[in-house]
Amino acid sequence: LKLYLLWSNNAFDNFEIFNTVPYYLKRELGKFLCKKYYLNDVPLFDDLDAYVLGLISLKLKSLQCNKATYLYRRKSIGGELYIFRVGKAYLVQKGKKESVCRGDLVGFESYLNSEFQCSIKTTTYCQFYSLSLADITEVLEIIYPENIAMEYINKIKNRIKPYVNNTSKNPPIIKVRSMIFSDIINGIKKNPSELVPDFSYNNSKNESHIFCHYIF
C-alpha cells in the first residue's frame, strides 16, 4: 500500500513541500518539472509560463490499466486528460478505431462539458498520467487573480473545440512529440509502446523497479 501511494503520487502533498522551497529555487524547479513531464510540449498549454506548468505538473497522478480494460467510455463523466506513458490502446468513436500509445494525450475533450466523446480500451497493460481541469484551475487561481485565471482556462477550452467540432476528421488525440522521441524517460529505451511490463504489487522485483523509475 505504501509503495502504491508513493507511485500514484498520493502519499504526500507536493504543493505543501514545494512551498517550503526558497522562491528562486521554486522557479528553477518549476521549469525542471515542466520539461520532466512534457507539459511544455502540450499545445493546450501554449500560453502558460514554464514555472506555472511546473506547478501544474505537481497535480499529475500516475494511473494504470490492465489489458482489455476501458480507461473510460463514451458519454461517461470526465473532466480530466490522460497522457499515455506505457502500453497500447485504441480509441473508438462513431464505429471507427484509432490506435493510441505512448506519447498520446486523450480525454481532454471532457474539459468542455465534463463528458468523454469517445471510448478508450487498452490492448496491453498501460500506465499514464491524469490531470483534471479542476486541478489546473486551482493552480491558476493561486498564481493569478480569478479573472486572469479564467482567461487562461477559456484559452485551453478554445484549443480543444476543433477536436470536438470536427471529430470525424480529427479524433481527440494530441501527440506529445518530445515524449515519443525521448530516448530516456522512466528507464524506457527505444520503442516504448512495445514495452509491456509484468506488473504485480506482489512481485518485489517489479515493485523496486517501479519505485526507482516512477517516483519523483
Side-chain angles (χ1 to χ4, degrees), residues 139-151:
V139 173
L140 292 177
E141 289 182 346
I142 290 174
I143 300 173
Y144 302 112
E146 184 177 355
N147 62 322
I148 296 178
M150 292 313 300
E151 285 182 13

Side-chain angles (χ1 to χ4, degrees), residues 34-108:
C34 170
K35 293 180 180 179
K36 175 181 173 67
Y37 294 107
Y38 299 92
L39 293 187
N40 60 323
D41 199 35
V42 175
L44 302 181
F45 306 139
D46 278 348
D47 292 323
L48 295 177
D49 180 81
Y51 167 68
V52 177
L53 289 175
L55 293 179
I56 290 174
S57 72
L58 294 174
K59 295 292 187 177
L60 288 169
K61 296 292 187 294
S62 295
L63 303 172
Q64 59 180 322
C65 271
N66 292 325
K67 180 180 178 180
T69 302
Y70 278 97
L71 175 58
Y72 56 80
R73 295 176 184 265
R74 183 174 180 271
K75 298 296 183 182
S76 60
I77 301 300
E80 57 273 334
L81 59 77
Y82 299 90
I83 304 174
F84 270 77
R85 300 168 61 192
V86 173
K88 290 182 177 181
Y90 60 84
L91 178 150
V92 182
Q93 187 177 54
K94 296 181 179 179
K96 297 180 180 180
K97 289 186 178 181
E98 187 80 20
S99 176
V100 291
C101 58
R102 175 174 167 78
D104 287 341
L105 189 152
V106 298
F108 53 88

